[in-house]
Amino acid sequence: MKLSKKQAVFENEVLTRFELFNSLFMTLPFYQVKHTGTLLPFFTTHCERGVANKLDPETIIESFFNEYKQYIGESDRIDLLFRIIQYIERQVVLFDAVEDSAFKKTGRSDEAGMLDSVFKLTENNKALRKKLIDKLQNFSLRLVLTAHPTQFYPGPVLSIITDLTEALKQNDIHNAHLLLQQLGKTPFMNKRKPTPVDEAISLAWFLENVFYPVASAIQSKIDDEFDISAEDINPVVELGFWPGGDRDGNPNVTVESTRQVAMLLRTVLFRCYYRDFRVLKRRLTFRGVEKYMDKLYDLLYENSFNPPQTPMNEKSHILQNLREIKRVLVEYHDGLFVELVDDMARKVKTFGCFFATLDLRQDSSILRQTHRYLREKYPDLTGISADFEQQDEASKQAALKFQELDMRHDATASPLVADTLDVIRLIKEIQLSGGERAAQRFIISNCQQASDILELMELFLWSDWKRDSLHMDFVPLFETVDDLERAADVMKSLYTHKQYAAHLKRRGNRQTIMLGFSDSTKDGGYLMANWSIYKAKIELTAIARQYDVDLVFFDGRGGPPARGGGKTQRFYAAMGKEVVNDHIQLTIQGQTISSQYGSLDTAHYNIEQLLYAGLNSHIGQKDGDTLSVEKKKLIDYMANISHEKFLELRHDPLFLKYLERFSPLKFLSQINISSRPVKRNADRELRLEDLRAISFVTSWSQLKQNIPGFYGVGMALQQADKDGRWNEVVELYETSGMFKTMIDNCMMSMSKSNFDLTSYIQKDKEFGAFWQKMCDEFDRTKAYVLKLSQSTTLMENYPVERESIAMREKIVLPLLIIQHYAIRQLQEEPDNEVYAKLVTRTIYGVVNAGRNLA
């Protein structure tokens, strides 16, 4: 098969260079262990053959050691397996660095879908140009960084990756060799679980080193294109932040950690400003600017290195001094270096004194407990009857009085209740130090009814907040299929509620709604999750338009397609007229942060792609993206078939047992990559509803079965074919960007599956038929998505991404064999700590290799 141009470049610039540097890497004698690097290629080949022959992991491992007789003792064999894991962990980093260093050369960075292509459309079209300028005044992209445990390199490793990528980009072989040696000797594992503040520090690295320069560079590009002055800019790229604020199911997040993270974000930002100011100071050596420069120096230095205990919002002071400096330059010095002043002013307007908006999140059940605590503690003040919880929803809404009170908790409050009440008061302090945008959103997880929002609003008013200065947005999070179906009714209740409507009016009539992919995928399967969310968006848009509400969708997406990831920008580009798309907001987490926003090149590209998607769907919408009634019925019909198939699997009594027996699920709680527990209600026996969606998806991905990313799709397509509706499905795929992206992302998920790896399970008396059922659905789905896309191989139209995935899967295959081998040994020796450690160590490498560059 003839290689495409992009594929040929990828093979030359990435695969060949990786093999070259990998051979150099293999010769490094780490940890005084000889021959490990030499043996690894033989071990990898041995694993590949074993999997191809559908052998079980014990047979593969033991037959390898039978070939290499020097590893006779059990301890020698285990030691070699650990050394192999250490090498492969670092191979993954090397491949990441090689791939990132070649980013511009591999062709992704010059694809359509960048801002320049939008600008070109308006060059000779004044009406379109004005339309785009107007759109930019009310358009934003908000990337919200979360600390969800899908990847966490320690800080020193992140720095090495950055330096190694740069060395490879410059073909600096000597420095690359030194960095590979450093990489070999640097620990990849945290000795203890990170705290929420540790997680914030890790992510602040990306804020400081990537998002700060890239967001301002993109803003500058837009401002220059449309001659927008630094005074008039509307920040297009906004940042959000969850570590330290997201307390849903994470008891380790406390008021003190929230306070520390808010301070950290502010301090890191001022250090960025201070570095920029030093460049400014070296250039502005003219008379007339001294007093303004001195004021700025004192302000920036003190806030960077001696931050006050109760800082204030200094944004207006910084901008005022920059304006005076600019005035002096223009009036007396021919405007020399005025562009440096404008650049700094642009950054201050974009990031203020907060860097990223710190979101607060808590589960609705905790918020209800908190409301109940104050009702019961202060019955006379609240005036709410004791039977409040027994009342129906309408009566509950009518009972809330929204009085401005100052009620506090005492020692009788549970820790979570006390935390909720304390953090509501803390938000006011954070807003004083960083401005309203420093912390302006409270997200209600598992939001089921309008009273969940209204009770939270009342909690603020009961905590010394005033109605007219309640600078908070209350954001419902709808996640399960049932919650998504109720979402429109919940919002209608809020829009027609007198007190909430008045609050919304004070907030500019803008309502943010968060929609979660992870739990809906776990709840309803891939096709139903995607369709439920899209359908909810249509219904929520219609209700918002009816009540003249400026609606913002905030999408909780992960990196893998099963968590709403994949080719995210294609979803946004394909929103039809029935879905509001004036703002794009989504979570960025785990491997998505490092793979898509880990370097200046990749971050610039991915941010521009998302901006292009949002702007282009406004100015160049395709007719096929607005689904007709018939097309909606067709997707609904397929989603229900898929849902039924998925539920049949999920309700199988072996479902959770299978995950616990064959995947490393129970070991996820032992890896020190997150402060968040693997499951809610950690003190009771594991139930599927308590299992976090991330742990659920991660377990399937470690098995290389990726059930949440495809299961049920094949059955839906097969049934459509049997019912004589295949031509309708083909037309839908060819005309609907949303449906095409859904199927293409499904193929990506399947590209990361390998049922041969676990084929030994088909001989298991208890689980054999269950494994076969999943394998059959994989085969069925593969056959039908290939037929639908007219392809001969998965991801045929994305050859670069396909080769990247294939190489990553090849690198981690030995890790998977070791993992499955250790899990099976633990079934015989449950208390064997060495095998348990083998399992936990392999999880890191497999997760880190699973990044999505698509």
Side-chain angles (χ1 to χ4, degrees), residues 29 47 73 115 120 144 164 258 268 274 298 337 373 549 557 565 618 622 652 675 679 738 753 778 803:
C47 290
L115 284 177
K120 280 178 186 173
V144 181
L164 182 57
T258 303
V268 169
Y274 180 70
D298 289 343
F337 298 127
Y373 171 83
V549 170
R557 293 172 173 271
H618 181 70
K622 295 176 185 174
D652 191 306
S675 67
K679 67 187 182 80
M738 179 273 291
S753 299
F778 177 85
E803 293 228 10

Short mmCIF file of all heavy atoms in Angstrom, two decimals, residues 29 47 73 115 120 144 164 258 268 274 298 337 373 549 557 565 618 622 652 675 679 738 753 778 803:
data_model
loop_
_atom_site.label_atom_id
_atom_site.label_comp_id
_atom_site.label_asym_id
_atom_site.label_seq_id
_atom_site.Cartn_x
_atom_site.Cartn_y
_atom_site.Cartn_z
N PRO A 29 23.15 1.92 30.95
CA PRO A 29 23.11 0.90 32.04
C PRO A 29 22.48 1.45 33.32
O PRO A 29 23.17 1.82 34.26
CB PRO A 29 24.60 0.60 32.25
CG PRO A 29 25.28 1.90 31.93
CD PRO A 29 24.45 2.59 30.88
N CYS A 47 6.45 -11.47 23.44
CA CYS A 47 5.08 -11.12 23.84
C CYS A 47 4.17 -11.01 22.63
O CYS A 47 3.02 -11.49 22.65
CB CYS A 47 5.08 -9.81 24.63
SG CYS A 47 5.82 -9.94 26.27
N GLY A 73 16.30 -18.10 39.43
CA GLY A 73 15.59 -17.83 40.68
C GLY A 73 14.38 -16.92 40.48
O GLY A 73 14.36 -16.06 39.59
N LEU A 115 -7.04 29.59 12.55
CA LEU A 115 -7.64 30.93 12.49
C LEU A 115 -7.37 31.63 11.17
O LEU A 115 -8.22 32.36 10.67
CB LEU A 115 -7.11 31.78 13.65
CG LEU A 115 -7.71 31.49 15.02
CD1 LEU A 115 -7.05 32.36 16.08
CD2 LEU A 115 -9.21 31.72 15.03
N LYS A 120 -9.05 34.47 6.15
CA LYS A 120 -9.03 34.57 4.67
C LYS A 120 -10.44 34.66 4.11
O LYS A 120 -10.67 35.33 3.10
CB LYS A 120 -8.32 33.33 4.09
CG LYS A 120 -6.81 33.44 4.15
CD LYS A 120 -6.14 32.19 3.60
CE LYS A 120 -4.62 32.28 3.82
NZ LYS A 120 -3.95 31.01 3.47
N VAL A 144 -10.81 24.22 30.94
CA VAL A 144 -10.81 24.04 32.39
C VAL A 144 -9.93 22.85 32.74
O VAL A 144 -10.23 21.71 32.38
CB VAL A 144 -12.26 23.83 32.90
CG1 VAL A 144 -12.25 23.67 34.41
CG2 VAL A 144 -13.15 25.00 32.48
N LEU A 164 13.80 17.63 26.63
CA LEU A 164 14.12 16.59 25.65
C LEU A 164 13.45 16.89 24.31
O LEU A 164 14.07 16.73 23.24
CB LEU A 164 13.66 15.22 26.18
CG LEU A 164 13.97 13.99 25.31
CD1 LEU A 164 15.45 13.87 25.03
CD2 LEU A 164 13.44 12.72 25.98
N THR A 258 -8.36 24.97 49.28
CA THR A 258 -8.95 25.92 48.33
C THR A 258 -8.28 27.28 48.46
O THR A 258 -7.94 27.92 47.46
CB THR A 258 -10.47 26.06 48.58
OG1 THR A 258 -11.09 24.77 48.48
CG2 THR A 258 -11.11 26.98 47.56
N VAL A 268 1.67 32.66 41.09
CA VAL A 268 2.32 32.19 39.85
C VAL A 268 2.09 33.20 38.73
O VAL A 268 2.99 33.50 37.94
CB VAL A 268 1.78 30.79 39.46
CG1 VAL A 268 2.22 30.42 38.05
CG2 VAL A 268 2.25 29.74 40.45
N TYR A 274 5.93 39.58 36.42
CA TYR A 274 7.22 40.15 36.83
C TYR A 274 8.30 39.85 35.80
O TYR A 274 9.13 40.72 35.48
CB TYR A 274 7.61 39.58 38.21
CG TYR A 274 8.93 40.10 38.72
CD1 TYR A 274 9.07 41.42 39.13
CD2 TYR A 274 10.05 39.27 38.78
CE1 TYR A 274 10.29 41.91 39.59
CE2 TYR A 274 11.27 39.74 39.24
CZ TYR A 274 11.39 41.06 39.65
OH TYR A 274 12.61 41.54 40.10
N ASP A 298 7.39 47.69 42.32
CA ASP A 298 7.03 47.38 43.72
C ASP A 298 5.82 46.47 43.79
O ASP A 298 5.79 45.48 44.53
CB ASP A 298 6.73 48.69 44.48
CG ASP A 298 7.98 49.51 44.71
OD1 ASP A 298 9.08 48.95 44.60
OD2 ASP A 298 7.85 50.73 44.97
N PHE A 337 8.75 50.99 21.46
CA PHE A 337 8.47 49.85 22.34
C PHE A 337 7.05 49.84 22.91
O PHE A 337 6.76 49.14 23.88
CB PHE A 337 9.47 49.76 23.51
CG PHE A 337 10.89 49.55 23.07
CD1 PHE A 337 11.90 50.41 23.50
CD2 PHE A 337 11.22 48.52 22.20
CE1 PHE A 337 13.21 50.22 23.09
CE2 PHE A 337 12.54 48.33 21.79
CZ PHE A 337 13.53 49.19 22.23
N TYR A 373 -29.03 20.98 57.57
CA TYR A 373 -28.35 21.32 58.83
C TYR A 373 -28.75 22.72 59.30
O TYR A 373 -29.10 22.92 60.48
CB TYR A 373 -26.83 21.25 58.62
CG TYR A 373 -26.04 21.80 59.79
CD1 TYR A 373 -25.77 21.02 60.91
CD2 TYR A 373 -25.57 23.12 59.77
CE1 TYR A 373 -25.07 21.54 62.00
CE2 TYR A 373 -24.86 23.64 60.84
CZ TYR A 373 -24.61 22.85 61.95
OH TYR A 373 -23.92 23.37 63.02
N VAL A 549 -32.43 33.60 27.40
CA VAL A 549 -31.26 33.34 28.24
C VAL A 549 -30.05 33.06 27.35
O VAL A 549 -30.15 32.31 26.38
CB VAL A 549 -31.52 32.13 29.18
CG1 VAL A 549 -30.23 31.71 29.89
CG2 VAL A 549 -32.59 32.48 30.20
N ARG A 557 -15.42 16.60 29.38
CA ARG A 557 -14.87 15.62 28.43
C ARG A 557 -13.51 15.13 28.93
O ARG A 557 -12.73 15.90 29.48
CB ARG A 557 -14.67 16.26 27.05
CG ARG A 557 -15.96 16.64 26.35
CD ARG A 557 -15.66 17.43 25.08
NE ARG A 557 -16.85 17.66 24.29
CZ ARG A 557 -17.30 16.84 23.35
NH1 ARG A 557 -16.66 15.72 23.11
NH2 ARG A 557 -18.38 17.13 22.66
N GLY A 565 -13.86 12.39 24.58
CA GLY A 565 -12.68 12.98 23.95
C GLY A 565 -12.61 12.63 22.47
O GLY A 565 -13.60 12.52 21.79
N HIS A 618 -20.46 29.37 13.34
CA HIS A 618 -21.30 30.58 13.37
C HIS A 618 -21.40 31.21 11.98
O HIS A 618 -22.46 31.66 11.57
CB HIS A 618 -20.70 31.58 14.35
CG HIS A 618 -21.49 32.85 14.48
ND1 HIS A 618 -22.73 32.90 15.08
CD2 HIS A 618 -21.21 34.12 14.08
CE1 HIS A 618 -23.17 34.14 15.04
NE2 HIS A 618 -22.27 34.89 14.45
N LYS A 622 -22.93 24.15 8.01
CA LYS A 622 -23.39 23.26 6.94
C LYS A 622 -24.85 22.88 7.19
O LYS A 622 -25.25 22.65 8.32
CB LYS A 622 -22.54 21.98 6.90
CG LYS A 622 -21.09 22.24 6.52
CD LYS A 622 -20.30 20.94 6.59
CE LYS A 622 -18.82 21.19 6.32
NZ LYS A 622 -18.01 19.98 6.54
N ASP A 652 -25.44 -7.93 33.55
CA ASP A 652 -24.96 -9.30 33.71
C ASP A 652 -24.29 -9.40 35.08
O ASP A 652 -23.44 -8.57 35.43
CB ASP A 652 -23.96 -9.64 32.60
CG ASP A 652 -23.63 -11.13 32.55
OD1 ASP A 652 -23.22 -11.68 33.59
OD2 ASP A 652 -23.77 -11.73 31.47
N SER A 675 -5.32 12.70 44.32
CA SER A 675 -5.83 12.83 45.69
C SER A 675 -7.24 12.29 45.80
O SER A 675 -7.78 12.15 46.89
CB SER A 675 -5.83 14.31 46.10
OG SER A 675 -6.77 15.04 45.33
N LYS A 679 -13.47 5.38 44.17
CA LYS A 679 -14.93 5.28 44.20
C LYS A 679 -15.51 6.16 45.28
O LYS A 679 -14.84 6.52 46.25
CB LYS A 679 -15.37 3.82 44.41
CG LYS A 679 -15.02 3.22 45.77
CD LYS A 679 -15.35 1.74 45.79
CE LYS A 679 -15.06 1.09 47.14
NZ LYS A 679 -16.09 1.32 48.12
N MET A 738 -21.69 15.68 13.26
CA MET A 738 -21.77 15.14 14.62
C MET A 738 -21.74 13.61 14.59
O MET A 738 -20.96 12.97 15.31
CB MET A 738 -23.05 15.64 15.29
CG MET A 738 -23.28 15.14 16.71
SD MET A 738 -24.13 13.55 16.83
CE MET A 738 -25.76 13.99 16.27
N SER A 753 -7.97 -1.21 21.17
CA SER A 753 -8.43 -2.48 21.75
C SER A 753 -7.65 -3.64 21.13
O SER A 753 -7.21 -3.56 19.99
CB SER A 753 -9.93 -2.68 21.47
OG SER A 753 -10.68 -1.64 22.05
N PHE A 778 -17.34 -6.59 19.50
CA PHE A 778 -16.21 -5.86 18.92
C PHE A 778 -16.10 -6.19 17.43
O PHE A 778 -15.97 -5.29 16.59
CB PHE A 778 -14.91 -6.23 19.63
CG PHE A 778 -13.68 -5.56 19.04
CD1 PHE A 778 -13.32 -4.29 19.42
CD2 PHE A 778 -12.93 -6.21 18.06
CE1 PHE A 778 -12.20 -3.67 18.87
CE2 PHE A 778 -11.81 -5.60 17.50
CZ PHE A 778 -11.44 -4.33 17.91
N GLU A 803 -0.98 5.40 13.06
CA GLU A 803 0.38 4.88 13.27
C GLU A 803 0.89 5.24 14.67
O GLU A 803 1.61 4.46 15.29
CB GLU A 803 1.32 5.45 12.20
CG GLU A 803 1.00 4.93 10.80
CD GLU A 803 2.24 4.44 10.07
OE1 GLU A 803 3.30 4.31 10.72
OE2 GLU A 803 2.14 4.16 8.88
#
